[in-house]
Amino acid sequence: MTNATTGSERIVPGQQPPAGQRSPLVTRLVRPAVTHWQFGLVVLAAVAMRIVVILGYPPILWFSDSYNYLQDAVTHVPDEVRPNGYPFFLALLLPLHSDYPIALLQAAMGIAVGVAIYALLRHRGLPWWGGVLAALPVLFDSYELHLEHMVTADPLFLFLVTIAVVILCWSDRPSVPTMAVAGLLIGYATLVRSVGEPLLVVVVVAMLVRRVGWRRLVALAAVGIVPIGAYLIWFNGTWGRYALTESSGAFLYSRVSTFAECSKMSVPSDLRFLCDPNPPKDRPPAGEYIWADNDLPVNGHTTYTPLYEWSPKNPDPSLRFTATMNAKTRQFAEHAVESQPLAYASAVTDDILHTFGWTRQPDPNDYYGNGPTFQFVSGTEMTMQIPWYATPRHLYGTPPRAFCDASCQKNDVQARQIQTAEKDFAGSGLGVTRAVQPWEPLLEMYQRYIYLRGTLLGIIVLIGAAGLVARWRRWGGIGLLPWLVGALLIALPPVTAGFSYRYVLAAAPVACLAAGLAFAGWPPGTSVRALAANLRRHLGRGSAVDQE
């Protein structure tokens, strides 16, 4: 039975046909594929692209964090830098002793997110092409395809957040069980990536504005807190402190270090070792302050980051993420923000605006997540990115002794654990990625042109915002939730750490949902010009907006 108002194929509750008159199961399964054949072709093309990626770069891609994820999955110790939500997922796949299941499941997550976006927008009354347009970025963006094929938490985080938003937007008043499931997904997403920490609060506020009822809100919040609370207890059992990580202060310190000048601050003596004496123009991007040792050259001379200078005889990055150091870096960052609020606001604004540039800026040093590590590249370039601690033998193209053999592993426990974890997952080959012809050059060419331009993402965000304004009497209506989540995922990294193109990808699906929902609920056949006229009218003293 088709809903005459929205044009979507929804059976009206209480009007189901009698059991004897219902179509056979096979028919009911085939009918959606026939009805949505246009989108079916799009999905087949998206699946084909993921097959090409797997053929081009077997078994899976890696970057520096990938090895720590595997280590955490095998050791079952809470990580001080990032929560263990993704290693929990990896641990489930460990009995398979292969990297391919990781790649296949993450590719399936990308397809599932695209299908969910299309399904929600069709359910809300958009024509097939409207649903397809909103799903295209997650289905075909080359950088999304790259992340799905990498040992990284981003695909799982994107999947959890988008599915939670979709099920909360399926109905104006989701059921209590639905709210509980969404809360569980959001709670787990918080453990997958630190940027998800404020998500539960944002989702609760958005649903409060929608007036879904206190029972539903309680179910959402209570179930969402369960995985977070359990993790806090687990973390405390290992490190003696209720926290998700010991890195929030370090990341905020990296954020302010691009502009903080101690001559303009009242810095306590025990924090002055965190000051960078170099002028801001000679400083590296934010992330280098916690991950790198070398600063930018000044007048031809090599300089070093404050955290490296603090421990020149033992430059162990793990020492930058202890409870004591986390407290000190947080205090320094707070002094910097209080003393130089305009400089902080300028740094954050610049990074947010960087999101919406038309092209991705060249980045030979991986500062902004746009270097060789996050692109489809040749096998030689991939090999050069492999860190010394991830392999026991010398690899062609890497510097001499750029590996950690048995003698090295005696003195480096982490390197030994990482290589053991690699073998547990992939065998003696350690899962080293191969670039296979002819797929690898095709993917390199594909990535030059097929990705969501930052400017287009900005337009998508503005369309979603216009939909909220058009429904201002209903506080933005159903589109408020995905728009707020998307805005949060775009703005929070520059506010708390720094910009990375990789971080922006998580915001694209929910931003596209918000843009699609801006056109949902209007009478069928309404033109874009009519929608613009509606928006202008409702910005003035016009009547209430159409009900969704």
Side-chain angles (χ1 to χ4, degrees):
M1 183 177 298
T2 301
N3 186 299
T5 302
T6 65
S8 63
E9 297 182 349
R10 288 181 281 178
I11 299 298
V12 179
Q15 296 187 21
Q16 300 269 355
Q21 298 179 17
R22 294 179 190 172
S23 303
L25 176 61
V26 174
T27 303
R28 296 203 301 273
L29 293 175
V30 171
R31 183 179 294 127
V34 174
T35 303
H36 303 281
W37 65 269
Q38 301 99 327
F39 182 64
L41 295 177
V42 173
V43 170
L44 287 177
V47 171
M49 280 306 307
R50 283 156 175 82
I51 293 174
V52 170
V53 172
I54 294 173
L55 292 174
Y57 293 94
I60 201 166
L61 297 166
W62 304 80
F63 78 124
S64 56
D65 291 355
S66 302
Y67 306 101
N68 295 105
Y69 286 132
L70 259 62
Q71 178 192 10
D72 294 339
V74 172
T75 61
H76 306 294
V77 174
D79 198 295
E80 293 180 285
V81 180
R82 56 190 71 81
N84 283 47
Y86 184 62
F88 292 157
F89 165 75
L90 294 178
L92 295 176
L93 304 178
L94 179 56
L96 301 176
H97 301 294
S98 173
D99 292 321
Y100 282 103
I102 305 172
L104 292 172
L105 279 176
Q106 292 183 172
M109 290 176 191
I111 296 294
V113 168
V115 172
I117 291 172
Y118 174 84
L120 174 63
L121 295 180
R122 292 290 281 134
H123 179 78
R124 284 284 171 179
L126 261 66
W128 71 268
W129 55 266
V132 168
L133 281 176
L136 287 180
V138 73
L139 291 177
F140 293 102
D141 183 291
S142 58
Y143 291 95
E144 165 70 21
L145 295 176
H146 188 279
L147 275 186
E148 289 176 12
H149 194 57
M150 177 179 277
V151 181
T152 179
D154 299 74
L156 178 60
F157 178 79
L158 184 151
F159 171 79
L160 293 169
V161 172
T162 307
I163 297 302
V165 170
V166 165
I167 65 177
L168 288 176
C169 292
W170 196 263
S171 170
D172 288 352
R173 287 173 62 85
S175 66
V176 171
T178 299
M179 296 287 281
V181 170
L184 185 63
L185 294 175
I186 293 296
Y188 183 43
T190 303
L191 307 180
V192 174
R193 276 196 55 203
S194 297
V195 73
E197 290 181 16
L199 272 179
L200 185 60
V201 174
V202 171
V203 172
V204 168
V205 170
M207 300 307 288
L208 178 64
V209 170
R210 275 170 53 181
R211 301 177 184 178
V212 296
W214 69 268
R215 289 186 181 85
R216 293 172 172 82
L217 287 174
V218 168
L220 174 68
V223 177
I225 290 172
V226 169
I228 300 173
Y231 192 90
L232 292 173
I233 295 171
W234 184 52
F235 192 93
N236 178 68
T238 301
W239 302 111
R241 183 167 178 264
Y242 291 99
L244 295 179
T245 67
E246 295 289 8
S247 62
S248 57
F251 281 110
L252 190 58
Y253 165 73
S254 71
R255 165 71 286 173
V256 304
S257 290
T258 58
F259 65 83
E261 298 181 77
C262 287
S263 61
K264 300 179 181 180
M265 300 161 51
S266 177
V267 183
S269 58
D270 64 328
L271 301 180
R272 295 198 69 84
F273 73 94
L274 293 170
C275 297
D276 188 340
N278 298 305
K281 66 181 180 65
D282 294 325
R283 299 182 188 179
E288 299 301 290
Y289 279 90
I290 52 177
W291 299 120
D293 297 330
N294 292 334
D295 208 328
L296 291 179
V298 177
N299 297 325
H301 298 287
T302 300
T303 61
Y304 297 94
T305 59
L307 286 177
Y308 178 84
E309 294 280 16
W310 166 69
S311 58
K313 295 181 179 179
N314 185 24
D316 183 356
S318 67
L319 297 178
R320 304 170 189 182
F321 300 103
T322 63
T324 300
M325 184 56 69
N326 194 49
K328 289 182 178 295
T329 50
R330 178 176 292 280
Q331 291 172 27
F332 181 91
E334 290 171 350
H335 280 290
V337 174
E338 292 170 0
S339 302
Q340 298 177 263
L342 294 181
Y344 173 66
S346 176
V348 170
T349 301
D350 286 347
D351 276 358
I352 291 176
L353 293 178
H354 195 89
T355 303
F356 305 116
W358 177 253
T359 60
R360 287 182 166 226
Q361 294 185 5
D363 177 27
N365 297 308
D366 280 358
Y367 286 158
Y368 299 116
N370 196 39
T373 301
F374 298 103
Q375 293 182 8
F376 294 120
V377 295
S378 68
T380 301
E381 287 183 277
M382 280 194 305
T383 300
M384 292 175 65
Q385 312 306 316
I386 298 176
W388 61 270
Y389 51 79
T391 175
R393 61 185 184 276
H394 179 247
L395 299 176
Y396 178 77
T398 59
R401 299 296 302 173
F403 58 100
C404 191
D405 57 16
S407 59
C408 164
Q409 292 174 34
K410 291 179 181 178
N411 301 316
D412 197 309
V413 176
Q414 186 181 28
R416 183 171 66 251
Q417 290 178 340
I418 286 173
Q419 292 188 27
T420 299
E422 291 179 90
K423 292 177 182 177
D424 284 344
F425 272 92
S428 60
L430 301 177
V432 175
T433 310
R434 295 178 292 113
V436 179
Q437 303 286 342
W439 314 112
E440 173 257 312
L442 289 176
L443 287 168
E444 286 191 61
M445 184 181 301
Y446 180 87
Q447 193 162 53
R448 292 195 197 106
Y449 306 104
I450 310 300
Y451 64 93
L452 181 62
R453 303 277 182 171
T455 308
L456 295 180
L457 176 62
I459 293 172
I460 290 169
V461 171
L462 290 176
I463 291 173
L468 303 186
V469 173
R471 294 171 171 85
W472 66 273
R473 293 181 185 273
R474 298 188 63 195
W475 294 89
I478 208 77
L480 177 65
L481 173 60
W483 193 88
L484 285 179
V485 171
L488 175 73
L489 296 179
I490 289 173
L492 192 60
V495 169
T496 59
F499 173 82
S500 174
Y501 284 109
R502 178 167 65 95
Y503 300 154
V504 177
L505 288 175
V510 285
C512 290
L513 268 178
L517 290 171
F519 297 94
W522 303 100
T526 304
S527 66
V528 174
R529 182 177 298 178
L531 291 178
N534 256 324
L535 177 60
R536 288 195 299 271
R537 184 170 70 256
H538 296 309
L539 283 172
R541 288 191 263 174
S543 58
V545 296
D546 299 79
Q547 296 297 306
E548 295 179 354

